[in-house]
Amino acid sequence: MQRYARITKIALLLLSLLSGGCASDRPPSGGTPKAAPLQVVFSDPAPSALNSSPGSIFLTFNHELSLRQLTGALAFTPSIGSWDASVHGKHAEIKLSSPLQKNRTYILTLNKQLAPLQGGAFASPYTLAFSTGPEIENGTISGTVINEELAPAPGSLILAFGDKRDAAGLQPLTADAPDYLAQTDGAGKFSFNHLHPGFYRILAVNDRNGDMRYSPESEEIGICSPEAIQTGTAGIALQLSGLESAAGELLSCRPIDRQSVAIRLARPVNTTSFDPGKIEILKRGTTLPLAVTGWYAKNPTMREREFIIVTRGMEPGRAYSIGWKSGGNDSATGPILFYASGRSPASRQLSATILPENRTGPAYLDQAWPALGKAVIISFSEPIDIEVARGMIFIAETAGTQLAPLRFSLARIDSRTFWVKPDGGFKPGQAYLTSVKPGGSGKPALSRFRSASKEDCGSITGTCFSRSEQVIVEARAEGATASYCMALSRNRSGTFTYTFSDLPPGRYTLSAYAPSDKTAPDPYRQRNPGSIHPRVPAEPFGIYEGKVMVRAQWTTGNIDIHISK
């Protein structure tokens, strides 16, 4: 009788919704706007229902869905085992195969990207929480997820693992299904609202395929600091900073020709600190590494994950392995097998490009590579010896048609990219000419520019708050791959004050992290993003919400950053 009464109640609710819903779903214009965001307009159990142990869960949407769309976007935490679903227009039923546990809080989550047959996706992730007992769990943890470019990461999957499941820290974090999951909204924010009180390890995932699961071979992760977060904590920050590679840092290798291969790393590295000595190439069946004679980044940027490795030559069709030496390990980890290409190295006419580009004024000479200071960046089309490159470069101060040649310093970034500085440095507001004349019939490159003066620049000032003794602050311009960075020590007031001077005008994202170095860190060192296995928490991190506008001759102040820990 109870089952019959419950079915009758649900049927009456659905009939009421259908009959009354026609009017609410049909405004005077003639129907639900096709672009209206998807909504759940009815659920059984109701949100936050108590003493509810349903055999089926019923949902009604404001738009029609397909069964495939729904099942690909639905997840339960904790796991309920197997289930089956049916969809009829706007109405869905999820049948549970096994009875739910007593006195447990369950959460149904629908992917924010769930798109109906007509209309828009959810405005924010949908969750339905209910309890099989007389109380519902209300523990909370909230925060923000950003990507490698420091922009909000909407639609990211957030996994929460109970801290007591593996107190020894020996089990990989993702060996089991998470205890809870959530998803970020359009601003990259997330919130767990129905956690069992306690501590949790939090992991952010770039859910590229939208399946509400972690795919380690293709999805970037963000690891939290500290290792375990207590319920009731708000404002934690996670950054999606690369793939968790079981094969160390090296993800893939692609042969190009007899002398070069392209590699891809799990995470981007600062190009100026890339160490080709970590690369080990072995011919199959031998132990003597092949000599690495050159290397260069695929793109001439400050942070890169794809590099070309040049050798003295490989035997076409022969099997080779390539590995990456990590830490103090003398042997390469995660070797990848490949077969050498039989293609001969391409013979191309040497050419060059110059940054800043021709007729730039004002030229912000530290914008492309802030770690190098004010410099001109010259990129050749092929690897070149530094002394050969030196003979092709000319730099001079200009005044009208007059040229005053300058002595300069030249240093290598990679095998085809160099930075150039006059021995006395670049003078603010001065006009310069830089030219590169490749040998043979190569086309000369030319750049006339005026170096920026203080009147062309702006400033940002603020304070960092952290429990650490040192912090590194980063200012990254919108659309840029490079950042301005500085290392700070705690002042007498117990905080960290900073000033970025001589910044190019534009919109900036400000962030900071607490390095684990005991000595004064290099401001352009890379933040340790942590790892799943071995389990290492990320270095504490914080970000200023919103963009910071920099204008010439202005100082933007009070840009304060709180590093979460």
Side-chain angles (χ1 to χ4, degrees):
M1 291 295 294
Q2 289 180 347
R3 176 178 175 84
Y4 176 79
R6 181 174 180 275
I7 293 174
T8 303
K9 175 185 175 184
I10 292 171
L12 289 173
L13 284 169
L14 288 174
L15 286 171
S16 173
L17 182 69
L18 288 170
S19 60
C22 291
S24 63
D25 279 350
R26 292 183 181 176
S29 61
T32 302
K34 293 183 178 180
L38 184 64
Q39 293 180 339
V40 176
V41 296
F42 170 81
S43 71
D44 183 30
S48 300
L50 304 178
N51 299 309
S52 180
S53 298
S56 290
I57 296 173
F58 296 89
L59 300 172
T60 299
F61 300 86
N62 63 333
H63 292 295
E64 293 186 358
L65 294 171
S66 71
L67 177 61
R68 181 177 181 181
Q69 287 171 315
L70 178 67
T71 56
L74 191 153
F76 286 94
T77 51
S79 174
I80 62 167
S82 60
W83 49 268
D84 193 16
S86 60
V87 175
H88 302 282
K90 299 178 182 180
H91 310 288
E93 179 184 5
I94 300 109
K95 297 180 180 180
L96 312 185
S97 301
S98 304
L100 299 178
Q101 298 180 34
K102 295 181 179 180
N103 300 316
R104 291 294 302 269
T105 295
Y106 287 89
I107 304 171
L108 177 155
T109 302
L110 290 176
N111 193 331
K112 180 182 182 294
Q113 275 72 46
L114 174 59
L117 299 175
Q118 291 184 330
F122 283 117
S124 59
Y126 174 80
T127 59
L128 170 65
F130 62 91
S131 174
T132 58
E135 297 181 351
I136 192 166
E137 305 286 7
N138 285 309
T140 62
I141 293 176
S142 61
T144 303
V145 181
I146 62 172
N147 58 25
E148 289 180 358
E149 290 72 40
L150 305 183
S156 296
L157 187 64
I158 314 299
L159 311 180
F161 299 84
D163 188 46
K164 293 183 179 179
R165 292 199 307 177
D166 179 23
L170 301 177
Q171 184 81 351
L173 193 61
T174 55
D176 299 318
D179 294 295
Y180 298 93
L181 62 82
Q183 194 178 31
T184 58
D185 61 17
K189 296 185 178 300
F190 70 90
S191 179
F192 291 100
N193 296 312
H194 296 281
L195 300 176
H196 180 75
F199 288 82
Y200 293 86
R201 293 184 173 93
I202 305 296
L203 180 70
V205 176
N206 182 9
D207 189 20
R208 288 183 176 274
N209 56 16
D211 65 354
M212 302 293 282
R213 293 165 180 81
Y214 173 42
S215 302
E217 69 281 354
S218 61
E219 295 178 344
E220 298 87 348
I221 60 170
I223 297 171
C224 198
S225 175
E227 187 173 358
I229 303 294
Q230 187 175 16
T231 49
T233 302
I236 67 172
L238 299 99
Q239 182 180 19
L240 300 171
S241 52
L243 301 179
E244 176 76 10
S245 173
E249 298 288 339
L250 191 61
L251 281 184
S252 63
C253 169
R254 176 177 57 85
I256 298 175
D257 55 42
R258 295 180 186 180
Q259 293 183 342
S260 59
V261 295
I263 64 169
R264 181 176 174 83
L265 303 181
R267 293 185 172 94
V269 300
N270 191 319
T271 310
T272 56
S273 62
F274 178 82
D275 182 6
K278 290 186 175 182
I279 296 294
E280 183 176 83
I281 302 176
L282 295 172
K283 185 164 64 174
R284 196 73 179 271
T286 67
T287 58
L288 186 63
L290 209 62
V292 174
T293 59
W295 66 276
Y296 54 92
K298 181 178 179 180
N299 303 297
T301 57
M302 183 174 165
R303 291 185 178 93
E304 183 59 54
R305 68 172 77 211
E306 297 185 52
F307 295 87
I308 310 300
I309 307 301
V310 183
T311 72
R312 295 191 185 282
M314 294 172 283
E315 298 178 30
R318 287 294 301 268
Y320 289 82
S321 65
I322 184 168
W324 177 272
K325 298 178 183 178
S326 59
N329 198 350
D330 289 334
S331 60
T333 58
I336 296 174
L337 181 68
F338 70 94
Y339 290 88
S341 170
R343 182 183 302 171
S344 298
S347 179
R348 293 186 289 263
Q349 183 64 54
L350 187 67
S351 62
T353 58
I354 303 173
L355 284 177
E357 296 179 349
N358 192 29
R359 297 182 180 178
T360 300
Y364 300 94
L365 297 173
D366 57 353
Q367 189 171 21
W369 235 290
L372 303 177
K374 291 178 170 55
V376 167
I377 307 298
I378 298 176
S379 297
F380 290 91
S381 57
E382 301 293 333
I384 185 172
D385 181 84
I386 187 170
E387 294 306 319
V388 174
R390 187 186 304 276
M392 299 178 177
I393 297 170
F394 174 81
I395 186 167
E397 290 184 1
T398 65
T401 59
Q402 300 297 312
L403 296 179
L406 299 172
R407 296 176 60 88
F408 58 85
S409 299
L410 179 70
R412 184 187 297 279
I413 296 175
D414 62 33
S415 297
R416 63 176 188 176
T417 310
F418 303 84
W419 59 258
V420 182
K421 298 179 183 179
D423 288 351
F426 286 101
K427 300 175 184 177
Q430 175 65 49
Y432 292 90
L433 177 144
T434 300
S435 67
V436 182
K437 296 182 179 180
S441 59
K443 184 179 179 180
L446 179 73
S447 176
R448 292 179 180 270
F449 60 88
R450 177 181 67 82
S451 63
S453 63
K454 286 190 176 294
E455 289 70 24
D456 300 311
C457 303
S459 302
I460 299 174
T461 65
T463 303
C464 285
F465 300 89
S466 173
R467 297 177 184 177
S468 303
E469 292 303 314
Q470 299 175 112
V471 300
I472 291 177
V473 190
E474 177 179 353
R476 184 180 298 188
E478 190 172 56
T481 59
S483 301
Y484 295 88
C485 301
M486 64 173 61
L488 303 174
S489 297
R490 186 185 298 278
N491 58 28
R492 291 181 180 180
S493 64
T495 59
F496 305 84
T497 57
Y498 69 89
T499 298
F500 285 102
S501 301
D502 301 334
L503 290 176
R507 289 158 53 91
Y508 287 78
T509 299
L510 272 292
S511 64
Y513 71 93
S516 54
D517 307 50
K518 302 231 182 252
T519 58
D522 175 2
Y524 288 94
R525 73 185 281 281
Q526 287 183 263
R527 173 176 172 261
N528 184 351
S531 65
I532 294 177
H533 192 66
R535 191 178 296 167
V536 177
E539 290 178 324
F541 169 77
I543 189 167
Y544 180 83
E545 290 195 11
K547 298 291 184 180
V548 178
M549 180 62 72
V550 171
R551 297 178 175 86
Q553 303 181 41
W554 284 81
T555 296
T556 305
N558 302 317
I559 306 302
D560 299 339
I561 307 168
H562 294 262
I563 297 178
S564 61
K565 185 170 182 179

